[in-house]
Amino acid sequence: MNDPVLYETRGAVAILTLNRPEQRNSVNIDLTHALRAALARSEADETVRVAILTGAGNVFCAGMDLKAFLDGDGETILAGEGRFAGFVQAKRTKPTIAAVNGPALAGGCELALACDLIVASETAFFGLPEPGVGIFAGAGGPFRLARKIPLGKAMQLVLTGDRLSAQDAHAYGMVNDLSAPDKVLDAAVSLAERIIRNAPLSVSASLELMRAASQEAEQDLWAMNDRLWDDVVASDDAREGPSAFIEKRAPQWNGR
């Protein structure tokens, strides 16, 4: 069985690769545990200065595995240490770059938004399509996206499930650099190396201040997120949506 997350280092850069390409790198319990462990490994390694998160194959991450959600694993995937995938609210002291090599949808988009910097393939795209399957983006997507791009556009994307191209995400400032599809990881490593040239304590202090500025109100937002999630996930629609998606049929909503 392949490891759900691959770990390698290139000098002072740790590369964490989501490794379920046949399932579009969707997040189940095994991947959650593996990503949490890989992140802890990079944090504990004093020789690592920057971490990169990417996906195997041609997809970054399609979000939570809906089969795992229907099997009752959603709480473990979403609410364990570090929240979704053990990553989106994990304590990190080192800069983290998302190397988005393909579609980053639902929880995959939220994983990218949880990173400090994003390098994306020119053919990649982002989206939060959860309302289309009867749930909502409960891993920080709505409030983090609203800080990254204009509020009106973020509102459109969250409410409709529309996709955001890498080019538009770059124009809005959400994506730092664009790359050819086969050069995304190299571009992310190059960005990491530019960070590593600087003094470690200076980078750490700067990162801590910038994260504090963006996360100042997050605790209140997470509390609201959890309350709303409990209400939505207990609904009939939250079962109907994933079931319809897996069965490849149109969902029948009842608003309850």
Side-chain angles (χ1 to χ4, degrees):
M1 180 177 177
N2 293 330
D3 293 335
V5 175
L6 304 178
Y7 186 97
E8 65 173 301
T9 56
R10 296 189 189 179
V13 181
I15 300 169
L16 288 58
T17 303
L18 309 178
N19 189 39
R20 300 184 74 215
E22 294 181 0
Q23 293 79 31
R24 297 173 61 81
N25 296 323
S26 60
V27 179
N28 63 1
I29 284 181
D30 289 342
L31 189 146
T32 297
H33 292 325
L35 183 56
R36 184 182 293 122
L39 184 61
R41 181 178 174 183
S42 71
E43 281 288 305
D45 188 340
E46 294 182 357
T47 68
V48 169
R49 294 274 311 280
V50 179
I52 293 173
L53 180 67
T54 193
N58 58 7
V59 174
F60 178 70
C61 177
M64 181 164 57
D65 187 322
L66 291 180
K67 290 182 180 178
F69 174 76
L70 286 174
D71 288 341
D73 295 338
E75 184 72 13
T76 301
I77 295 168
L78 282 159
E81 182 183 352
R83 290 188 179 259
F84 176 68
F87 187 87
V88 299
Q89 206 188 13
K91 294 180 179 178
R92 291 178 283 119
T93 63
K94 302 171 185 180
T96 307
I97 301 170
V100 180
N101 53 304
L105 296 173
C109 182
E110 292 174 299
L111 286 173
L113 289 169
C115 293
D116 302 299
L117 300 165
I118 300 175
V119 175
S121 162
E122 295 164 340
T123 58
F125 53 84
F126 302 83
L128 296 171
E130 285 92 337
V133 291
I135 53 177
F136 74 93
F143 53 83
R144 284 176 169 163
L145 187 65
R147 289 201 296 255
K148 291 283 189 178
I149 69 174
L151 181 58
K153 187 64 177 180
M155 192 78 73
Q156 175 188 336
L157 295 171
V158 170
L159 298 182
T160 64
D162 288 351
R163 294 174 174 181
L164 179 69
S165 70
Q167 287 80 7
D168 285 345
H170 183 252
Y172 289 134
M174 173 179 152
V175 166
N176 298 90
D177 293 321
L178 292 174
S179 170
D182 60 342
K183 299 293 184 183
V184 177
L185 185 55
D186 289 341
V189 170
S190 176
L191 178 57
E193 289 172 344
R194 300 205 302 275
I195 295 171
I196 291 166
R197 292 189 197 121
N198 296 313
L201 292 179
S202 301
V203 169
S204 296
S206 300
L207 185 64
E208 186 175 351
L209 280 169
M210 288 186 290
R211 283 181 178 164
S214 66
Q215 296 172 1
E216 192 170 335
E218 275 205 6
Q219 290 307 314
D220 291 340
L221 291 170
W222 281 117
M224 182 184 296
N225 176 92
D226 293 346
R227 175 176 57 79
L228 293 169
W229 178 261
D230 288 345
D231 290 343
V232 171
V233 81
S235 70
D236 293 341
D237 285 350
R239 303 291 296 179
E240 168 63 11
S243 296
F245 179 85
I246 291 169
E247 296 165 12
K248 299 181 179 180
R249 60 175 175 81
Q252 301 297 313
W253 309 124
N254 64 25
R256 294 191 299 274

mmCIF file with all atom_site columns, all heavy atoms in Angstrom, residues 105-128:
data_model
loop_
_atom_site.group_PDB
_atom_site.id
_atom_site.type_symbol
_atom_site.label_atom_id
_atom_site.label_alt_id
_atom_site.label_comp_id
_atom_site.label_asym_id
_atom_site.label_entity_id
_atom_site.label_seq_id
_atom_site.pdbx_PDB_ins_code
_atom_site.Cartn_x
_atom_site.Cartn_y
_atom_site.Cartn_z
_atom_site.occupancy
_atom_site.B_iso_or_equiv
_atom_site.pdbx_formal_charge
_atom_site.auth_seq_id
_atom_site.auth_comp_id
_atom_site.auth_asym_id
_atom_site.auth_atom_id
_atom_site.pdbx_PDB_model_num
ATOM 1   N N   . LEU A 1 105 ? -9.830  21.968 -4.928  1.00 0.00 ? 105 LEU A N   1
ATOM 2   C CA  . LEU A 1 105 ? -11.259 22.159 -4.728  1.00 0.00 ? 105 LEU A CA  1
ATOM 3   C C   . LEU A 1 105 ? -11.677 21.786 -3.314  1.00 0.00 ? 105 LEU A C   1
ATOM 4   O O   . LEU A 1 105 ? -11.080 20.902 -2.693  1.00 0.00 ? 105 LEU A O   1
ATOM 5   C CB  . LEU A 1 105 ? -12.047 21.319 -5.729  1.00 0.00 ? 105 LEU A CB  1
ATOM 6   C CG  . LEU A 1 105 ? -11.845 21.691 -7.203  1.00 0.00 ? 105 LEU A CG  1
ATOM 7   C CD1 . LEU A 1 105 ? -12.537 20.683 -8.117  1.00 0.00 ? 105 LEU A CD1 1
ATOM 8   C CD2 . LEU A 1 105 ? -12.368 23.096 -7.475  1.00 0.00 ? 105 LEU A CD2 1
ATOM 9   N N   . ALA A 1 106 ? -12.703 22.473 -2.825  1.00 0.00 ? 106 ALA A N   1
ATOM 10  C CA  . ALA A 1 106 ? -13.262 22.194 -1.505  1.00 0.00 ? 106 ALA A CA  1
ATOM 11  C C   . ALA A 1 106 ? -12.138 22.234 -0.466  1.00 0.00 ? 106 ALA A C   1
ATOM 12  O O   . ALA A 1 106 ? -11.416 23.216 -0.368  1.00 0.00 ? 106 ALA A O   1
ATOM 13  C CB  . ALA A 1 106 ? -13.999 20.849 -1.530  1.00 0.00 ? 106 ALA A CB  1
ATOM 14  N N   . GLY A 1 107 ? -11.968 21.154 0.303   1.00 0.00 ? 107 GLY A N   1
ATOM 15  C CA  . GLY A 1 107 ? -10.900 21.131 1.293   1.00 0.00 ? 107 GLY A CA  1
ATOM 16  C C   . GLY A 1 107 ? -9.525  21.313 0.697   1.00 0.00 ? 107 GLY A C   1
ATOM 17  O O   . GLY A 1 107 ? -8.605  21.775 1.374   1.00 0.00 ? 107 GLY A O   1
ATOM 18  N N   . GLY A 1 108 ? -9.352  20.971 -0.587  1.00 0.00 ? 108 GLY A N   1
ATOM 19  C CA  . GLY A 1 108 ? -8.075  21.202 -1.248  1.00 0.00 ? 108 GLY A CA  1
ATOM 20  C C   . GLY A 1 108 ? -7.776  22.685 -1.374  1.00 0.00 ? 108 GLY A C   1
ATOM 21  O O   . GLY A 1 108 ? -6.631  23.125 -1.184  1.00 0.00 ? 108 GLY A O   1
ATOM 22  N N   . CYS A 1 109 ? -8.790  23.461 -1.688  1.00 0.00 ? 109 CYS A N   1
ATOM 23  C CA  . CYS A 1 109 ? -8.632  24.917 -1.726  1.00 0.00 ? 109 CYS A CA  1
ATOM 24  C C   . CYS A 1 109 ? -8.318  25.438 -0.331  1.00 0.00 ? 109 CYS A C   1
ATOM 25  O O   . CYS A 1 109 ? -7.466  26.323 -0.161  1.00 0.00 ? 109 CYS A O   1
ATOM 26  C CB  . CYS A 1 109 ? -9.909  25.558 -2.274  1.00 0.00 ? 109 CYS A CB  1
ATOM 27  S SG  . CYS A 1 109 ? -9.846  27.352 -2.424  1.00 0.00 ? 109 CYS A SG  1
ATOM 28  N N   . GLU A 1 110 ? -8.965  24.855 0.681   1.00 0.00 ? 110 GLU A N   1
ATOM 29  C CA  . GLU A 1 110 ? -8.731  25.304 2.054   1.00 0.00 ? 110 GLU A CA  1
ATOM 30  C C   . GLU A 1 110 ? -7.331  24.937 2.536   1.00 0.00 ? 110 GLU A C   1
ATOM 31  O O   . GLU A 1 110 ? -6.724  25.686 3.311   1.00 0.00 ? 110 GLU A O   1
ATOM 32  C CB  . GLU A 1 110 ? -9.810  24.712 2.966   1.00 0.00 ? 110 GLU A CB  1
ATOM 33  C CG  . GLU A 1 110 ? -11.179 25.318 2.654   1.00 0.00 ? 110 GLU A CG  1
ATOM 34  C CD  . GLU A 1 110 ? -12.325 24.679 3.418   1.00 0.00 ? 110 GLU A CD  1
ATOM 35  O OE1 . GLU A 1 110 ? -12.545 23.458 3.229   1.00 0.00 ? 110 GLU A OE1 1
ATOM 36  O OE2 . GLU A 1 110 ? -12.988 25.385 4.195   1.00 0.00 ? 110 GLU A OE2 1
ATOM 37  N N   . LEU A 1 111 ? -6.804  23.815 2.076   1.00 0.00 ? 111 LEU A N   1
ATOM 38  C CA  . LEU A 1 111 ? -5.408  23.488 2.388   1.00 0.00 ? 111 LEU A CA  1
ATOM 39  C C   . LEU A 1 111 ? -4.472  24.535 1.793   1.00 0.00 ? 111 LEU A C   1
ATOM 40  O O   . LEU A 1 111 ? -3.510  24.977 2.447   1.00 0.00 ? 111 LEU A O   1
ATOM 41  C CB  . LEU A 1 111 ? -5.054  22.107 1.849   1.00 0.00 ? 111 LEU A CB  1
ATOM 42  C CG  . LEU A 1 111 ? -5.622  20.904 2.595   1.00 0.00 ? 111 LEU A CG  1
ATOM 43  C CD1 . LEU A 1 111 ? -5.322  19.619 1.833   1.00 0.00 ? 111 LEU A CD1 1
ATOM 44  C CD2 . LEU A 1 111 ? -5.060  20.812 4.011   1.00 0.00 ? 111 LEU A CD2 1
ATOM 45  N N   . ALA A 1 112 ? -4.723  24.919 0.539   1.00 0.00 ? 112 ALA A N   1
ATOM 46  C CA  . ALA A 1 112 ? -3.879  25.934 -0.091  1.00 0.00 ? 112 ALA A CA  1
ATOM 47  C C   . ALA A 1 112 ? -3.981  27.269 0.645   1.00 0.00 ? 112 ALA A C   1
ATOM 48  O O   . ALA A 1 112 ? -2.972  27.939 0.890   1.00 0.00 ? 112 ALA A O   1
ATOM 49  C CB  . ALA A 1 112 ? -4.269  26.099 -1.556  1.00 0.00 ? 112 ALA A CB  1
ATOM 50  N N   . LEU A 1 113 ? -5.207  27.647 1.021   1.00 0.00 ? 113 LEU A N   1
ATOM 51  C CA  . LEU A 1 113 ? -5.408  28.914 1.729   1.00 0.00 ? 113 LEU A CA  1
ATOM 52  C C   . LEU A 1 113 ? -4.753  28.910 3.106   1.00 0.00 ? 113 LEU A C   1
ATOM 53  O O   . LEU A 1 113 ? -4.420  29.969 3.632   1.00 0.00 ? 113 LEU A O   1
ATOM 54  C CB  . LEU A 1 113 ? -6.906  29.203 1.869   1.00 0.00 ? 113 LEU A CB  1
ATOM 55  C CG  . LEU A 1 113 ? -7.640  29.593 0.587   1.00 0.00 ? 113 LEU A CG  1
ATOM 56  C CD1 . LEU A 1 113 ? -9.150  29.589 0.821   1.00 0.00 ? 113 LEU A CD1 1
ATOM 57  C CD2 . LEU A 1 113 ? -7.186  30.956 0.086   1.00 0.00 ? 113 LEU A CD2 1
ATOM 58  N N   . ALA A 1 114 ? -4.582  27.720 3.687   1.00 0.00 ? 114 ALA A N   1
ATOM 59  C CA  . ALA A 1 114 ? -3.937  27.627 4.997   1.00 0.00 ? 114 ALA A CA  1
ATOM 60  C C   . ALA A 1 114 ? -2.434  27.838 4.918   1.00 0.00 ? 114 ALA A C   1
ATOM 61  O O   . ALA A 1 114 ? -1.790  28.097 5.940   1.00 0.00 ? 114 ALA A O   1
ATOM 62  C CB  . ALA A 1 114 ? -4.241  26.268 5.633   1.00 0.00 ? 114 ALA A CB  1
ATOM 63  N N   . CYS A 1 115 ? -1.872  27.709 3.726   1.00 0.00 ? 115 CYS A N   1
ATOM 64  C CA  . CYS A 1 115 ? -0.434  27.916 3.550   1.00 0.00 ? 115 CYS A CA  1
ATOM 65  C C   . CYS A 1 115 ? -0.116  29.412 3.516   1.00 0.00 ? 115 CYS A C   1
ATOM 66  O O   . CYS A 1 115 ? -0.992  30.245 3.281   1.00 0.00 ? 115 CYS A O   1
ATOM 67  C CB  . CYS A 1 115 ? 0.039   27.233 2.274   1.00 0.00 ? 115 CYS A CB  1
ATOM 68  S SG  . CYS A 1 115 ? -0.062  25.425 2.328   1.00 0.00 ? 115 CYS A SG  1
ATOM 69  N N   . ASP A 1 116 ? 1.132   29.744 3.724   1.00 0.00 ? 116 ASP A N   1
ATOM 70  C CA  . ASP A 1 116 ? 1.536   31.153 3.747   1.00 0.00 ? 116 ASP A CA  1
ATOM 71  C C   . ASP A 1 116 ? 1.687   31.732 2.349   1.00 0.00 ? 116 ASP A C   1
ATOM 72  O O   . ASP A 1 116 ? 1.446   32.922 2.128   1.00 0.00 ? 116 ASP A O   1
ATOM 73  C CB  . ASP A 1 116 ? 2.858   31.290 4.506   1.00 0.00 ? 116 ASP A CB  1
ATOM 74  C CG  . ASP A 1 116 ? 2.751   30.753 5.925   1.00 0.00 ? 116 ASP A CG  1
ATOM 75  O OD1 . ASP A 1 116 ? 1.932   31.295 6.698   1.00 0.00 ? 116 ASP A OD1 1
ATOM 76  O OD2 . ASP A 1 116 ? 3.460   29.788 6.248   1.00 0.00 ? 116 ASP A OD2 1
ATOM 77  N N   . LEU A 1 117 ? 2.107   30.910 1.395   1.00 0.00 ? 117 LEU A N   1
ATOM 78  C CA  . LEU A 1 117 ? 2.330   31.331 0.020   1.00 0.00 ? 117 LEU A CA  1
ATOM 79  C C   . LEU A 1 117 ? 1.786   30.254 -0.913  1.00 0.00 ? 117 LEU A C   1
ATOM 80  O O   . LEU A 1 117 ? 1.725   29.073 -0.537  1.00 0.00 ? 117 LEU A O   1
ATOM 81  C CB  . LEU A 1 117 ? 3.826   31.534 -0.240  1.00 0.00 ? 117 LEU A CB  1
ATOM 82  C CG  . LEU A 1 117 ? 4.548   32.573 0.625   1.00 0.00 ? 117 LEU A CG  1
ATOM 83  C CD1 . LEU A 1 117 ? 6.057   32.400 0.508   1.00 0.00 ? 117 LEU A CD1 1
ATOM 84  C CD2 . LEU A 1 117 ? 4.137   33.978 0.245   1.00 0.00 ? 117 LEU A CD2 1
ATOM 85  N N   . ILE A 1 118 ? 1.412   30.658 -2.125  1.00 0.00 ? 118 ILE A N   1
ATOM 86  C CA  . ILE A 1 118 ? 0.885   29.709 -3.101  1.00 0.00 ? 118 ILE A CA  1
ATOM 87  C C   . ILE A 1 118 ? 1.600   29.901 -4.433  1.00 0.00 ? 118 ILE A C   1
ATOM 88  O O   . ILE A 1 118 ? 1.651   31.019 -4.961  1.00 0.00 ? 118 ILE A O   1
ATOM 89  C CB  . ILE A 1 118 ? -0.634  29.879 -3.316  1.00 0.00 ? 118 ILE A CB  1
ATOM 90  C CG1 . ILE A 1 118 ? -1.403  29.669 -2.006  1.00 0.00 ? 118 ILE A CG1 1
ATOM 91  C CG2 . ILE A 1 118 ? -1.137  28.902 -4.386  1.00 0.00 ? 118 ILE A CG2 1
ATOM 92  C CD1 . ILE A 1 118 ? -2.899  29.938 -2.130  1.00 0.00 ? 118 ILE A CD1 1
ATOM 93  N N   . VAL A 1 119 ? 2.134   28.808 -4.958  1.00 0.00 ? 119 VAL A N   1
ATOM 94  C CA  . VAL A 1 119 ? 2.638   28.753 -6.327  1.00 0.00 ? 119 VAL A CA  1
ATOM 95  C C   . VAL A 1 119 ? 1.706   27.816 -7.073  1.00 0.00 ? 119 VAL A C   1
ATOM 96  O O   . VAL A 1 119 ? 1.400   26.723 -6.596  1.00 0.00 ? 119 VAL A O   1
ATOM 97  C CB  . VAL A 1 119 ? 4.081   28.221 -6.389  1.00 0.00 ? 119 VAL A CB  1
ATOM 98  C CG1 . VAL A 1 119 ? 4.534   28.049 -7.832  1.00 0.00 ? 119 VAL A CG1 1
ATOM 99  C CG2 . VAL A 1 119 ? 5.023   29.158 -5.640  1.00 0.00 ? 119 VAL A CG2 1
ATOM 100 N N   . ALA A 1 120 ? 1.210   28.223 -8.237  1.00 0.00 ? 120 ALA A N   1
ATOM 101 C CA  . ALA A 1 120 ? 0.199   27.426 -8.930  1.00 0.00 ? 120 ALA A CA  1
ATOM 102 C C   . ALA A 1 120 ? 0.549   27.196 -10.389 1.00 0.00 ? 120 ALA A C   1
ATOM 103 O O   . ALA A 1 120 ? 1.142   28.055 -11.053 1.00 0.00 ? 120 ALA A O   1
ATOM 104 C CB  . ALA A 1 120 ? -1.175  28.105 -8.842  1.00 0.00 ? 120 ALA A CB  1
ATOM 105 N N   . SER A 1 121 ? 0.163   26.044 -10.875 1.00 0.00 ? 121 SER A N   1
ATOM 106 C CA  . SER A 1 121 ? 0.229   25.753 -12.301 1.00 0.00 ? 121 SER A CA  1
ATOM 107 C C   . SER A 1 121 ? -0.685  26.701 -13.058 1.00 0.00 ? 121 SER A C   1
ATOM 108 O O   . SER A 1 121 ? -1.754  27.089 -12.571 1.00 0.00 ? 121 SER A O   1
ATOM 109 C CB  . SER A 1 121 ? -0.206  24.303 -12.547 1.00 0.00 ? 121 SER A CB  1
ATOM 110 O OG  . SER A 1 121 ? -0.552  24.100 -13.891 1.00 0.00 ? 121 SER A OG  1
ATOM 111 N N   . GLU A 1 122 ? -0.282  27.061 -14.256 1.00 0.00 ? 122 GLU A N   1
ATOM 112 C CA  . GLU A 1 122 ? -1.124  27.921 -15.094 1.00 0.00 ? 122 GLU A CA  1
ATOM 113 C C   . GLU A 1 122 ? -2.456  27.269 -15.435 1.00 0.00 ? 122 GLU A C   1
ATOM 114 O O   . GLU A 1 122 ? -3.411  27.952 -15.791 1.00 0.00 ? 122 GLU A O   1
ATOM 115 C CB  . GLU A 1 122 ? -0.375  28.263 -16.382 1.00 0.00 ? 122 GLU A CB  1
ATOM 116 C CG  . GLU A 1 122 ? 0.868   29.112 -16.145 1.00 0.00 ? 122 GLU A CG  1
ATOM 117 C CD  . GLU A 1 122 ? 1.809   29.127 -17.340 1.00 0.00 ? 122 GLU A CD  1
ATOM 118 O OE1 . GLU A 1 122 ? 1.713   28.218 -18.187 1.00 0.00 ? 122 GLU A OE1 1
ATOM 119 O OE2 . GLU A 1 122 ? 2.647   30.058 -17.409 1.00 0.00 ? 122 GLU A OE2 1
ATOM 120 N N   . THR A 1 123 ? -2.536  25.946 -15.314 1.00 0.00 ? 123 THR A N   1
ATOM 121 C CA  . THR A 1 123 ? -3.781  25.240 -15.621 1.00 0.00 ? 123 THR A CA  1
ATOM 122 C C   . THR A 1 123 ? -4.571  24.876 -14.370 1.00 0.00 ? 123 THR A C   1
ATOM 123 O O   . THR A 1 123 ? -5.619  24.232 -14.456 1.00 0.00 ? 123 THR A O   1
ATOM 124 C CB  . THR A 1 123 ? -3.482  23.953 -16.409 1.00 0.00 ? 123 THR A CB  1
ATOM 125 O OG1 . THR A 1 123 ? -2.591  23.124 -15.646 1.00 0.00 ? 123 THR A OG1 1
ATOM 126 C CG2 . THR A 1 123 ? -2.833  24.283 -17.752 1.00 0.00 ? 123 THR A CG2 1
ATOM 127 N N   . ALA A 1 124 ? -4.089  25.265 -13.195 1.00 0.00 ? 124 ALA A N   1
ATOM 128 C CA  . ALA A 1 124 ? -4.785  24.949 -11.944 1.00 0.00 ? 124 ALA A CA  1
ATOM 129 C C   . ALA A 1 124 ? -6.010  25.848 -11.785 1.00 0.00 ? 124 ALA A C   1
ATOM 130 O O   . ALA A 1 124 ? -6.146  26.894 -12.433 1.00 0.00 ? 124 ALA A O   1
ATOM 131 C CB  . ALA A 1 124 ? -3.843  25.130 -10.761 1.00 0.00 ? 124 ALA A CB  1
ATOM 132 N N   . PHE A 1 125 ? -6.897  25.434 -10.908 1.00 0.00 ? 125 PHE A N   1
ATOM 133 C CA  . PHE A 1 125 ? -8.019  26.294 -10.535 1.00 0.00 ? 125 PHE A CA  1
ATOM 134 C C   . PHE A 1 125 ? -8.439  25.953 -9.109  1.00 0.00 ? 125 PHE A C   1
ATOM 135 O O   . PHE A 1 125 ? -8.085  24.908 -8.561  1.00 0.00 ? 125 PHE A O   1
ATOM 136 C CB  . PHE A 1 125 ? -9.188  26.175 -11.515 1.00 0.00 ? 125 PHE A CB  1
ATOM 137 C CG  . PHE A 1 125 ? -9.666  24.764 -11.769 1.00 0.00 ? 125 PHE A CG  1
ATOM 138 C CD1 . PHE A 1 125 ? -10.575 24.147 -10.922 1.00 0.00 ? 125 PHE A CD1 1
ATOM 139 C CD2 . PHE A 1 125 ? -9.206  24.054 -12.865 1.00 0.00 ? 125 PHE A CD2 1
ATOM 140 C CE1 . PHE A 1 125 ? -11.016 22.856 -11.156 1.00 0.00 ? 125 PHE A CE1 1
ATOM 141 C CE2 . PHE A 1 125 ? -9.642  22.762 -13.113 1.00 0.00 ? 125 PHE A CE2 1
ATOM 142 C CZ  . PHE A 1 125 ? -10.554 22.157 -12.252 1.00 0.00 ? 125 PHE A CZ  1
ATOM 143 N N   . PHE A 1 126 ? -9.201  26.870 -8.519  1.00 0.00 ? 126 PHE A N   1
ATOM 144 C CA  . PHE A 1 126 ? -9.602  26.770 -7.124  1.00 0.00 ? 126 PHE A CA  1
ATOM 145 C C   . PHE A 1 126 ? -11.129 26.848 -7.039  1.00 0.00 ? 126 PHE A C   1
ATOM 146 O O   . PHE A 1 126 ? -11.781 27.423 -7.908  1.00 0.00 ? 126 PHE A O   1
ATOM 147 C CB  . PHE A 1 126 ? -8.996  27.929 -6.316  1.00 0.00 ? 126 PHE A CB  1
ATOM 148 C CG  . PHE A 1 126 ? -7.491  27.991 -6.377  1.00 0.00 ? 126 PHE A CG  1
ATOM 149 C CD1 . PHE A 1 126 ? -6.849  28.611 -7.447  1.00 0.00 ? 126 PHE A CD1 1
ATOM 150 C CD2 . PHE A 1 126 ? -6.719  27.431 -5.368  1.00 0.00 ? 126 PHE A CD2 1
ATOM 151 C CE1 . PHE A 1 126 ? -5.460  28.669 -7.517  1.00 0.00 ? 126 PHE A CE1 1
ATOM 152 C CE2 . PHE A 1 126 ? -5.323  27.497 -5.436  1.00 0.00 ? 126 PHE A CE2 1
ATOM 153 C CZ  . PHE A 1 126 ? -4.706  28.105 -6.501  1.00 0.00 ? 126 PHE A CZ  1
ATOM 154 N N   . GLY A 1 127 ? -11.675 26.299 -5.977  1.00 0.00 ? 127 GLY A N   1
ATOM 155 C CA  . GLY A 1 127 ? -13.119 26.404 -5.796  1.00 0.00 ? 127 GLY A CA  1
ATOM 156 C C   . GLY A 1 127 ? -13.555 25.829 -4.467  1.00 0.00 ? 127 GLY A C   1
ATOM 157 O O   . GLY A 1 127 ? -12.875 24.986 -3.867  1.00 0.00 ? 127 GLY A O   1
ATOM 158 N N   . LEU A 1 128 ? -14.698 26.313 -3.994  1.00 0.00 ? 128 LEU A N   1
ATOM 159 C CA  . LEU A 1 128 ? -15.318 25.824 -2.762  1.00 0.00 ? 128 LEU A CA  1
ATOM 160 C C   . LEU A 1 128 ? -16.741 25.376 -3.100  1.00 0.00 ? 128 LEU A C   1
ATOM 161 O O   . LEU A 1 128 ? -17.715 26.069 -2.803  1.00 0.00 ? 128 LEU A O   1
ATOM 162 C CB  . LEU A 1 128 ? -15.327 26.933 -1.697  1.00 0.00 ? 128 LEU A CB  1
ATOM 163 C CG  . LEU A 1 128 ? -13.949 27.405 -1.212  1.00 0.00 ? 128 LEU A CG  1
ATOM 164 C CD1 . LEU A 1 128 ? -14.080 28.641 -0.333  1.00 0.00 ? 128 LEU A CD1 1
ATOM 165 C CD2 . LEU A 1 128 ? -13.225 26.291 -0.454  1.00 0.00 ? 128 LEU A CD2 1
#
